Amino acid sequence: ALTFFPAAIAPMGMEAMTYYDTAAILMTLIVMGRWLEAKAKGRTSEAIKTLMGLRAKTARVIRGDLTLDIPVEEVKAGDLVLVRPGEKVPVDGIIREGRSALDESMLTGESLPVEKGPGDQVIGATVNKMGSFKFEATRVGRETVLAQIVRLVEQAQGSKAPIQRLVDTIAGIFVPIVLVIAVVTFGVWMLFGGEQAFLVALSNFVAVLVIACPCALGLATPTSIMVGIGKGAEHGVLIKNAESLERAYQVNVVIFDKTGTLTVGQPSVTDVVSSAASDTLLRLAASAEQGSEHPLGQAIIDHAKAKGLDLAEPQEFKAIPGYGIGAIVDGREVLLGNAALMQQRGIDLAGMGVQAQALSGEGKTPMFVVADGRLLGIVAVADVVKPQSQSAVTALHHLGIEVAMITGDTRRTAEAIAGQVGIDRVLAEVLPEHKALEVRRLQEQGKLVAMVGDGINDAPALAQADVGIAIGTGTDVAMEAADVTLIGGDLRSV
């Protein structure tokens, strides 16, 4: 009205003035805030889309005499499902027939494939490494472990941090007070404003509302945040939002995931215990393992090749699920496996059983090597600690920050790794859904928690933490759920 009919509104002798620049700036700031909020919500949905993309699209179901490939959504509880080597497990269930080794690292954090047999539980979206098996579907659709992780990520990202709740509380008190003051100002000027009372009252009413808006903070805060985020990027630290930057300096507990965060995430040979020449033992073991798809076997092959050993082609290779392998190498019958296999074949351990137990106590996986019925020695494999992990933990201790480790791995392995790097607290055999609960438990004790992880199983905890820090060498899901991403895998950036 002021634009098109200025004379009708402005009193005689007063010039009609407009403030389009002010209105434009205010609207720009409001719209920009809405855009940033929508962008943040978009990142949340991307994380959830990535999680949903992990599940198998189809399942091979046995119904009567027929084997059918059907969409995973059509699998029902009680169906018998066939899984072949290299395929993803479509839903959760219990193995009824067959044996295999499954890679569950993405969901449970287990660094090594888990041997499974009849009666064992399998989890949807995990990968079958070797051997075929049939399992009975027990949990499908929204009841699967993967679906539960998706819900946990949604809940955690939708929840507010304590500082956000504080801002909401202050805003709930501040805004009504400002409105009351503005209304009182309008009323006073209406009573004592003279001939132009309404115009003066309205002007002062708007002035109170504009002055109450913290414009200086609106300009100064984004500027300082932009500088901080830019400096972080220069040092390989990508910060997604201002809240995480604000909270980071207050953190007093840092929780590290084990597999792929504190450790390399891939098995490698750590020890070779031999009663004869170690190179001979290693060459026989690596040659035999060339017929295997097991990650432990690949670790032995890589170690032998790194030492420049010339490997032979194995003959009559046979995988023995749950125990080990057998093959003919250079005319010699080679066995490689665990203590149960040695006992089954009647092999004398010649006192090496004690050494194997000691290696197991250090979180390593010992494998006995036998040639022509005689024990040659032990090859131990483990997921080794990253070189910089100990220095990162030490630096955090110097800052007065408590350091904990959380993992789905066994307590024995977890405590062995924690002892090597100097971790204060160990939380072992923790399922993905319980990782977020452990973070929440610390928050309820009044602590500000930072979670450092790299896997899908870490996503709920990363979203729940006050500051979620993802390793750039990890999964896309972890990086989407986290507030901060470290471009490299160097923990000293924490």
Side-chain angles (χ1 to χ4, degrees):
L2 184 59
T3 302
F4 296 106
F5 310 106
I9 294 180
M12 287 296 272
M14 294 186 67
E15 182 182 356
M17 299 180 67
T18 56
Y19 298 90
Y20 293 122
D21 56 339
T22 304
I25 290 170
L26 286 173
M27 289 306 298
T28 300
L29 291 173
I30 292 169
V31 171
M32 185 178 292
R34 296 289 185 188
W35 176 74
L36 290 171
E37 183 180 356
K39 190 174 180 183
K41 288 180 179 177
R43 282 201 301 269
T44 300
S45 63
E46 282 300 316
I48 293 166
K49 284 178 185 175
T50 308
L51 271 171
M52 293 302 293
L54 291 170
R55 65 178 184 176
K57 301 296 185 291
T58 61
R60 189 171 289 108
V61 177
I62 300 171
R63 289 177 178 169
D65 296 330
L66 298 176
T67 301
L68 308 171
D69 284 339
I70 63 173
V72 72
E73 293 83 4
E74 296 180 13
V75 178
K76 301 175 182 177
D79 278 344
L80 193 63
V81 184
L82 173 64
V83 183
R84 292 173 179 163
E87 294 181 344
K88 285 184 177 179
V89 178
V91 295
D92 298 359
I94 297 174
I95 294 179
R96 296 304 181 200
E97 182 182 330
R99 302 189 71 90
S100 186
L102 275 74
D103 181 0
E104 298 183 341
S105 60
M106 304 295 278
L107 282 170
T108 64
E110 288 281 357
S111 55
L112 300 175
V114 182
E115 300 287 345
K116 299 280 186 177
D120 290 334
Q121 185 178 15
V122 291
I123 301 171
T126 56
V127 181
N128 181 25
K129 302 294 288 185
M130 53 186 288
S132 297
F133 62 88
K134 297 174 184 177
F135 75 94
E136 180 186 341
T138 56
R139 290 187 292 183
V140 299
R142 292 180 59 83
E143 296 178 358
T144 64
V145 171
L146 183 62
Q148 290 173 20
I149 291 176
V150 171
R151 286 200 297 275
L152 286 167
V153 172
E154 288 176 332
Q155 292 167 7
Q157 290 190 321
S159 64
K160 292 180 181 291
I163 193 165
Q164 289 176 294
R165 292 196 292 268
L166 177 62
V167 169
D168 290 346
T169 303
I170 294 172
I173 299 170
F174 179 74
V175 171
I177 290 174
V178 169
L179 289 173
V180 168
I181 293 172
V183 170
V184 170
T185 301
F186 180 84
V188 170
W189 281 104
M190 278 294 290
L191 292 174
F192 304 105
E195 294 181 4
Q196 291 85 34
F198 177 76
L199 187 62
V200 174
L202 183 62
S203 177
N204 285 312
F205 174 80
V206 173
V208 170
L209 294 178
V210 171
I211 291 168
C213 178
C215 297
L217 287 177
L219 296 172
T221 305
T223 304
S224 59
I225 287 168
M226 284 174 63
V227 172
I229 290 174
K231 285 293 182 183
E234 289 177 14
H235 293 86
V237 180
L238 302 181
I239 301 167
K240 287 186 180 180
N241 54 61
E243 288 82 5
S244 58
L245 184 63
E246 177 189 352
R247 292 193 295 266
Y249 85 97
Q250 298 174 314
V251 165
N252 46 35
V253 177
V254 175
I255 303 176
F256 286 98
D257 172 51
K258 182 183 75 69
T259 307
T261 303
L262 287 170
T263 66
V264 175
Q266 292 291 335
S268 58
V269 174
T270 57
D271 301 89
V272 178
V273 182
S274 176
S275 57
S278 60
D279 283 356
T280 301
L281 177 149
L282 191 58
R283 179 179 176 276
L284 287 172
S287 297
E289 286 285 7
Q290 286 187 109
S292 172
E293 298 175 349
H294 202 289
L296 295 182
Q298 190 58 50
I300 295 172
I301 294 169
D302 292 343
H303 186 69
K305 287 181 176 178
K307 296 192 71 173
L309 299 180
D310 185 24
L311 304 185
E313 192 66 30
Q315 304 294 323
E316 301 179 24
F317 175 84
K318 183 181 179 182
I320 310 168
Y323 295 97
I325 62 155
I328 303 297
V329 179
D330 292 340
R332 303 179 71 180
E333 185 181 351
V334 178
L335 274 178
L336 186 68
N338 54 25
L341 178 62
M342 300 299 107
Q343 184 178 4
Q344 186 185 83
R345 298 299 175 92
I347 304 297
D348 182 13
L349 297 183
M352 287 194 178
V354 176
Q355 290 174 288
Q357 289 178 359
L359 291 168
S360 295
E362 296 171 9
K364 300 170 183 177
T365 302
M367 290 174 283
F368 297 95
V369 182
V370 175
D372 295 329
R374 187 172 67 89
L375 181 66
L376 298 182
I378 300 171
V379 178
V381 176
D383 184 9
V384 297
V385 173
K386 289 180 180 178
Q388 66 274 14
S389 294
Q390 186 174 5
S391 58
V393 172
T394 302
L396 289 170
H397 282 150
H398 288 161
L399 293 172
I401 296 174
E402 181 184 353
V403 183
M405 181 179 74
I406 192 165
T407 178
D409 222 333
T410 61
R411 175 158 294 278
R412 183 176 61 185
T413 302
E415 289 179 346
I417 296 296
Q420 291 179 46
V421 298
I423 296 285
D424 302 319
R425 184 188 302 188
V426 177
L427 301 168
E429 300 174 9
V430 181
L431 297 175
E433 57 267 32
H434 294 157
K435 286 189 175 184
L437 289 175
E438 293 292 345
V439 172
R440 192 179 302 126
R441 188 174 290 118
L442 287 170
Q443 290 172 326
E444 289 169 354
Q445 295 172 12
K447 298 181 183 293
L448 257 77
V449 181
M451 172 72 193
V452 186
D454 72 323
I456 293 164
N457 60 310
D458 302 320
L462 288 168
Q464 177 65 43
D466 297 292
V467 181
I469 304 173
I471 305 297
T473 53
T475 62
D476 292 340
V477 174
M479 287 185 274
E480 290 289 350
D483 304 304
V484 180
T485 300
L486 307 181
I487 293 176
D490 193 336
L491 293 182
R492 289 173 294 187
S493 299
V494 175

